[in-house]
């Protein structure tokens, strides 16, 4: 589950990580009230207005703007709320902005310069460790830093059994070139950040930039947080943080129906039982020259009702030009699945206007093939994996 910046910052703050303070607002009026409150609480005279969408690079797309008066807060907030924000990380249509974070300006002038760092905590699947990735080159696109100046990216591996040790946090502060009070602040920051990551069962905490203010405080100015869905049962208070407006509507519907569905860019819809077989099916489609339109695991019980829901979900994607059903009948018999497919097809009337190729293997596969072949519907059966892929290719061409 991905979180908004303001939600991520709330979690950080609750674990003692210093953050740029802000208040979320749904409209320009609320934004002005939020700005006043922040001025009362922090003394800030300028505010930064930040679009809250699940995508990075908002600054580049015009979703982060500095307001130097309450009048500007109002103008900028009403400009940003409701806009279609296009950033390097969104699709070409962009994302609709429903709310903004009004935050204190923390780039105020002072005795020393501000400095922006990059820092993320994530799982390193290769080593089975957590990892803090950090760089002196904050505030900009980290992929570019990784490509052009990879030596400026540091990694600190953390054994989850011991957690982050103080000497590691000091090494990070040292590598970032800090000294004195900023050094101590960074050590505290990193220790608290790791704790937040660990205790919230996150799979990613990305803070870009981490700011050294001109008075040597270290704080999170941005926060991209992903919580591991599989751990959400341990964090009932996080469930409300989900913003389904930010998610793919077809994926949301599939999830509610208990289907494992991921939307992709291709034109061949896939309906498969089992994640492994689904992956193999997608590979095969690609190898035969096609592109999968989705990943869809219907799970163990492929009865008519489930097949119909799956059909409806696949057909919501206008790019789908053919559907490949690839089901292994182990626990569920192939003839029952075949009957399910035929029933679902008939139930849907003329909703299905594209060719369907069905490959059923396993118990009673021969009976299933007969059922499909004799159904009188625009459904082709295949026995071998390759045959199925070739038939898909043939109908696309
Ligand atoms: P992103 O573009 O989606 O990564 O959004 P960020 O939260 O990282 O903000 C983008 C940029 O806005 C930052 O890199 C900063 O340079 C700038 N910014 C953020 N907060 C402030 C602030 O308080 N004052 C000023 N002047 N700039 C800020
Ligand atoms: Mn950022």
């Amino acid at each position: 589950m991905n979180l908004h910046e303001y939600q991520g910052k709330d979690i950080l703050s609750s674990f003692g990580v210093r953050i740029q303070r802000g208040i979320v607002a749904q409209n320009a009026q609320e934004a002005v009230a939020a700005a006043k409150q922040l001025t009362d609480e922090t003394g800030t005279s300028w505010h930064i207005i930040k679009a809250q969408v699940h995508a990075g690079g908002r600054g580049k797309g015009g979703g982060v703007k500095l307001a130097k008066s309450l009048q500007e807060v109002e103008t900028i907030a009403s400009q940003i709320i409701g806009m279609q924000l296009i950033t390097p990380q969104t699709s070409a249509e962009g994302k609709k902005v429903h709310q903004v974070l009004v935050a204190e300006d923390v780039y105020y002038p002072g005795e020393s310069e501000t400095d922006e760092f990059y820092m993320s905590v994530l799982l390193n699947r290769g080593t089975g460790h957590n990892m803090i990735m950090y760089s002196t080159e904050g505030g900009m696109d980290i992929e570019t830093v990784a490509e052009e100046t990879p030596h400026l990216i540091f990694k600190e591996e953390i054994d989850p059994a011991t957690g982050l040790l103080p000497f590691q946090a000091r090494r990070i502060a040292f590598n970032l070139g800090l000294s004195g009070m900023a050094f101590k602040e960074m050590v505290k920051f990193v220790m608290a950040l790791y704790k937040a990551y660990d205790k919230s069962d996150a799979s990613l905490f990305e803070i870009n930039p981490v700011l050294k203010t001109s008075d040597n405080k270290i704080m999170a100015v941005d926060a991209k947080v992903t919580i591991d869905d599989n751990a959400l049962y341990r964090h009932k208070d996080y469930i409300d943080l989900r913003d389904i407006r930010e998610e793919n509507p077809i994926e949301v519907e599939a999830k509610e129906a208990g289907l494992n569905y991921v939307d992709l860019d291709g034109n061949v819809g896939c309906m498969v039982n089992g994640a492994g077989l689904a992956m193999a099916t997608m590979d095969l489609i690609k190898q035969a020259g096609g592109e999968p339109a989705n990943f869809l695991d219907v799970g163990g019980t492929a009865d008519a009702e489930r097949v119909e829901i799956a059909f409806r979900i696949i057909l919501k994607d206008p790019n789908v030009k053919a559907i490949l059903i690839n089901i292994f009948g182990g626990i569920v018999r192939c003839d029952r699945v075949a009957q399910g497919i035929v029933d679902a097809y008939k139930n849907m009337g003329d909703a299905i206007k594209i060719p369907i190729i069905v490959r059923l293997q396993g118990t009673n596969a021969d009976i299933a093939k007969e059922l499909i072949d004799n159904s009188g519907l625009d459904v082709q059966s295949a026995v071998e994996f390759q045959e199925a892929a070739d038939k898909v290719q043939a109908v696309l061409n």
Side-chain angles (χ1 to χ4, degrees):
M1 179 175 72
N2 294 326
L3 301 186
H4 284 296
E5 174 194 358
Y6 76 94
Q7 297 167 329
K9 280 178 166 172
D10 280 350
I11 293 179
L12 286 172
S13 181
S14 72
F15 285 98
V17 180
R18 190 195 297 277
I19 54 161
Q20 172 193 41
R21 293 181 54 191
I23 298 170
V24 71
Q26 314 294 325
N27 54 51
Q29 255 179 327
E30 281 183 29
V32 171
K36 282 184 186 153
Q37 190 182 330
L38 283 170
T39 301
D40 288 346
E41 288 174 11
T42 69
T44 189
S45 46
W46 292 357
H47 299 88
I48 186 109
I49 316 293
K50 311 179 80 179
Q52 297 298 289
V53 291
H54 288 185
R58 295 163 300 165
K60 284 188 192 125
V64 177
K65 285 192 173 146
L66 185 66
K68 298 186 179 176
S69 66
L70 288 179
Q71 184 53 51
E72 281 185 19
V73 169
E74 187 174 355
T75 328
I76 294 170
S78 45
Q79 223 172 53
I80 294 181
I81 296 171
M83 85 186 278
Q84 249 347 86
L85 180 61
I86 302 166
T87 85
Q89 292 183 22
T90 65
S91 65
E93 309 97 85
K95 294 202 112 171
K96 176 142 187 164
V97 182
H98 298 282
Q99 49 193 357
V100 290
L101 180 64
V102 179
E104 58 173 330
D105 170 35
V106 285
Y107 287 60
Y108 44 80
E111 281 151 31
S112 69
E113 302 245 320
T114 56
D115 210 347
E116 292 181 321
F117 307 113
Y118 171 92
M119 191 171 292
S120 59
V121 193
L122 64 162
L123 179 65
N124 182 346
R125 289 174 200 274
T127 60
H129 283 173
N130 290 315
M131 187 167 78
I132 296 183
M133 213 157 73
Y134 61 104
S135 174
T136 49
E137 307 306 292
M140 53 173 114
D141 186 17
I142 196 67
E143 283 78 16
T144 313
V145 181
E147 208 161 284
E148 288 168 9
T149 47
H151 60 284
L152 295 178
I153 294 184
F154 299 93
K155 290 170 185 165
E156 189 70 42
E157 289 269 340
I158 300 140
D159 187 332
T162 58
L164 177 68
L165 297 170
F167 84 89
Q168 296 182 291
R170 288 197 293 273
R171 177 155 62 199
I172 292 171
F174 179 80
N175 283 338
L176 289 174
L178 298 170
S179 59
M181 151 123 166
F183 183 97
K184 283 189 199 144
E185 276 266 318
M186 181 59 85
V187 170
K188 260 191 356 206
F189 181 92
V190 176
M191 294 299 289
L193 174 65
Y194 183 79
K195 189 172 166 199
Y197 166 86
D198 189 37
K199 294 279 185 273
S200 63
D201 286 315
S203 53
L204 174 72
F205 257 101
E206 185 181 54
I207 318 294
N208 188 22
V210 172
L211 182 74
K212 181 187 85 66
T213 61
S214 56
D215 50 359
N216 291 313
K217 288 181 194 132
I218 302 293
M219 67 168 68
V221 165
D222 193 5
K224 179 177 178 189
V225 174
T226 307
I227 304 286
D228 183 349
D229 284 331
N230 295 312
L232 277 179
Y233 73 96
R234 299 208 284 212
H235 302 278
K236 300 273 187 277
D237 50 325
Y238 290 173
I239 289 164
D240 292 339
L241 300 182
R242 185 161 173 216
D243 186 349
I244 60 166
R245 294 175 299 189
E246 295 291 326
E247 296 176 18
N248 178 313
I250 309 180
E251 288 182 9
V252 171
E253 190 181 335
K255 200 170 190 175
E256 274 160 13
L259 297 169
N260 219 333
Y261 174 93
V262 182
D263 200 25
L264 300 168
D265 295 330
N267 52 5
V268 182
C270 310
M271 193 191 303
V272 189
N273 67 336
L277 187 58
M279 303 286 266
T281 304
M282 290 159 65
D283 282 351
L284 203 85
I285 289 171
K286 264 198 107 99
Q287 213 171 37
E291 285 289 335
N294 66 274
F295 167 98
L296 173 58
D297 173 10
V298 290
T301 51
D303 54 16
E305 200 187 336
R306 264 182 102 68
V307 170
E308 187 174 334
I309 295 171
F311 266 136
R312 288 195 191 279
I313 284 170
I314 292 175
L315 290 169
K316 288 203 169 159
D317 179 349
N319 297 327
V320 172
K321 299 287 177 280
I323 298 178
L324 172 57
I325 302 177
N326 190 6
I327 289 188
F328 177 73
I331 297 167
V332 54
R333 292 180 350 236
C334 290
D335 54 321
R336 289 197 55 181
V337 178
Q339 194 61 54
I341 293 167
V342 172
D343 291 349
Y345 200 113
K346 287 185 174 158
N347 265 343
M348 292 182 64
D350 48 7
I352 303 178
K353 295 195 174 61
I354 52 175
I356 294 177
I357 291 92
V358 181
R359 173 181 179 261
L360 290 162
Q361 269 295 3
T363 313
N364 290 353
D366 42 348
I367 306 174
K369 182 168 163 34
E370 238 167 79
L371 257 165
I372 299 281
D373 290 343
N374 298 333
S375 66
L377 303 172
D378 185 11
V379 180
Q380 304 181 37
S381 63
V383 178
E384 298 304 327
F385 222 139
Q386 190 59 49
E387 181 190 357
D390 291 344
K391 284 191 170 169
V392 169
Q393 241 357 77
V395 299
L396 286 178
N397 291 331

